[in-house]
Amino acid sequence: MESIGVAWPDLNNGLTYTDTISPSKSGSSLIDFYTKTHKTSAPLQGWLHRIHNGQITIDGQIVTDPDEILRGGSELVYHRLPWREPDAPFLLEVLYEDDDLVALNKPSGLQVLPGGLFQQRTVLSQLQWRAQKRDSFGISEAQVSHPVPVHRLGRGTSGLLLCAKTKLAKARLASYFADGTSAVANQRYAENTKGPSSVRRKILKVYRALVSGIINEDEVVIEQPIGMIKYPGVAKGLYAASVSGKPALSKIGVLERDFQGNKTLVQVEIQSGRPHQIRIHLSFIGHPLIGDPLYVAGGHPSSFDSESGDDGHSQDGGYPRPTRPVPGDCGYYLHAHRVVLHHPTTNEVELIEMTKTGEQNEIL
């Protein structure tokens, strides 16, 4: 089995964030603009630090005066300094590959797409570097594919990840996932109106999870809606069980019960793709994933307490990492085990399955 991946550089390349001043913001000071427009990025002292450090340009010129008055149409760029991203594995196993798609075995601890502290140490970066390496061997641009993940796995989730190598494959695979989620909503509508639901799913994802406690029923269907709630330290909010959330459906099948260890190994078929769905649904029925630092019984976070940290800032001026658990924290046992799909170009049914479960072998 082929493995891909190269070791991470010590520092990433940093980032740039660009804003264009609207007429309504004309006349504002530089510090006023950033503290009001991007208040979740850094506290006041953090933005002052960035400005004094020469990390802000206006129309290409470095500005170090926080009271600089802005004009409508000006381009502001904040240059985030390169930083050492948290440790993450870099090797991925290729489980299946053809001209249209590649299926990878993603290790726990590796983020799929850029976000937060992980801008370079992602699956996407390794796919891009692999394509560049092939291009360096003299393969023409027309022949070089540029694979991109078409769905996400949580950073702490291991296992099967599908990536598209062509625009057509990307569009069709993305539509398969979207259709699966809409099918749940259509099914809920059909049940409420006693009408038929005609959506036929073209992709099926099956996971394995290790949960706390003993699940007595051999099969459980969970239809708890999932929505966004406010959560300190997560700017956009946190997904959790919510009566006003969007429809979600998970089918749970018990594989093994460990009475002595008070834990259950389950198979989970998700028919919708809400963020953190499996973690939320299993915790909702009172069986959170073993090792999950965030979700507890009821499908909610373990703590809503305000941060205990001070008002300081990190080296680059941003807020320090939250002291409470956040969605990207690892430690739970969840593994994407199998995918059944209609091939995006041939329409033939393909089964891609893990023969081993990598680092979680002994448990899953």
Side-chain angles (χ1 to χ4, degrees):
M1 184 177 297
E2 179 189 359
S3 291
I4 66 171
V6 297
W8 306 115
D10 188 46
L11 299 177
N12 62 23
N13 297 322
L15 288 174
T16 58
Y17 300 87
T18 302
D19 289 285
T20 300
I21 302 302
S22 64
S24 64
K25 298 291 184 181
S26 182
S28 300
S29 68
L30 183 62
I31 187 61
D32 189 54
F33 172 83
Y34 274 112
T35 53
K36 290 183 178 179
T37 307
H38 300 291
K39 57 185 177 182
T40 60
S41 172
L44 170 63
Q45 291 301 318
W47 279 115
L48 288 171
H49 170 81
R50 292 169 174 178
I51 294 170
H52 291 146
N53 199 39
Q55 293 174 238
I56 310 293
T57 61
I58 301 179
D59 295 329
Q61 300 296 315
I62 295 176
V63 177
T64 57
D65 180 4
D67 295 320
E68 179 82 12
I69 300 301
L70 304 177
R71 299 188 304 272
S74 291
E75 182 181 81
L76 269 64
V77 179
Y78 155 51
H79 301 263
R80 186 175 180 180
L81 300 175
W83 72 94
R84 190 186 193 284
E85 300 181 13
D87 292 339
F90 62 87
L91 289 176
L92 301 112
E93 292 178 325
V94 178
L95 303 172
Y96 173 91
E97 185 169 20
D98 60 23
D99 292 339
D100 300 288
L101 59 89
V102 56
L104 302 172
N105 178 16
K106 184 191 84 71
S108 174
L110 177 60
Q111 191 151 305
V112 174
L113 298 175
L117 290 176
F118 294 92
Q119 295 295 324
Q120 184 181 70
R121 298 186 179 190
T122 66
V123 173
L124 180 60
S125 292
Q126 293 293 351
L127 288 172
Q128 292 172 338
W129 292 341
R130 184 193 191 207
Q132 292 170 4
K133 182 178 179 180
R134 291 186 170 188
D135 188 34
S136 67
F137 288 141
I139 302 175
S140 68
E141 179 64 25
Q143 294 174 298
V144 175
S145 65
H146 299 279
V148 293
V150 292
H151 64 106
R152 296 196 188 203
L153 295 179
R155 189 164 67 88
T157 305
S158 61
L160 225 159
L161 177 71
L162 288 177
C163 305
K165 297 173 67 174
T166 66
K167 291 182 179 179
L168 177 62
K170 179 183 178 182
R172 288 186 175 170
L173 289 172
S175 71
Y176 293 173
F177 285 110
D179 289 346
T181 297
S182 65
V184 174
N186 289 344
Q187 178 176 319
R188 179 73 61 85
Y189 174 80
E191 291 171 350
N192 292 338
T193 61
K194 302 187 185 304
S197 177
S198 60
V199 178
R200 183 182 178 186
R201 302 175 65 240
K202 287 195 170 185
I203 195 162
L204 173 68
K205 292 191 295 181
V206 179
Y207 293 74
R208 289 186 176 182
L210 191 64
V211 304
S212 61
I214 302 299
I215 299 179
N216 295 318
E217 302 87 351
D218 290 337
E219 295 184 351
V220 180
V221 176
I222 308 171
E223 298 183 89
Q224 170 62 36
I226 293 174
M228 189 80 77
I229 61 174
K230 291 183 178 180
Y231 184 70
V234 180
K236 295 182 180 180
L238 178 74
Y239 287 95
S242 171
V243 293
S244 60
K246 295 182 179 180
L249 176 62
S250 302
K251 294 183 177 181
I252 313 299
V254 171
L255 297 175
E256 183 179 336
R257 296 180 179 93
D258 180 354
F259 290 95
Q260 184 175 358
N262 193 34
K263 54 191 175 184
T264 306
L265 176 64
V266 297
Q267 176 173 287
V268 186
E269 176 189 323
I270 58 171
Q271 298 197 2
S272 54
R274 306 301 176 197
H276 316 304
Q277 176 173 323
I278 295 175
R279 298 168 66 187
I280 294 169
H281 270 181
L282 283 164
S283 64
F284 175 75
I285 64 170
H287 297 280
L289 272 63
I290 287 180
D292 192 333
L294 180 61
Y295 292 104
V296 296
H300 291 98
S302 57
S303 172
F304 282 98
D305 295 340
S306 60
E307 293 196 53
S308 59
D310 56 24
D311 293 329
H313 54 271
S314 66
Q315 182 178 1
D316 191 51
Y319 287 106
R321 186 192 185 284
T323 56
R324 70 186 57 75
V326 292
D329 290 344
C330 303
Y332 54 88
Y333 291 102
L334 180 60
H335 185 78
H337 181 69
R338 182 189 310 134
V339 172
V340 182
L341 75 155
H342 288 247
H343 193 279
T345 57
T346 68
N347 206 36
E348 295 180 357
V349 177
E350 300 280 355
L351 167 63
I352 307 174
E353 187 171 28
M354 301 292 301
T355 54
K356 293 194 174 186
T357 58
E359 62 193 17
Q360 298 177 11
N361 228 2
E362 296 180 0
I363 297 178
L364 304 182

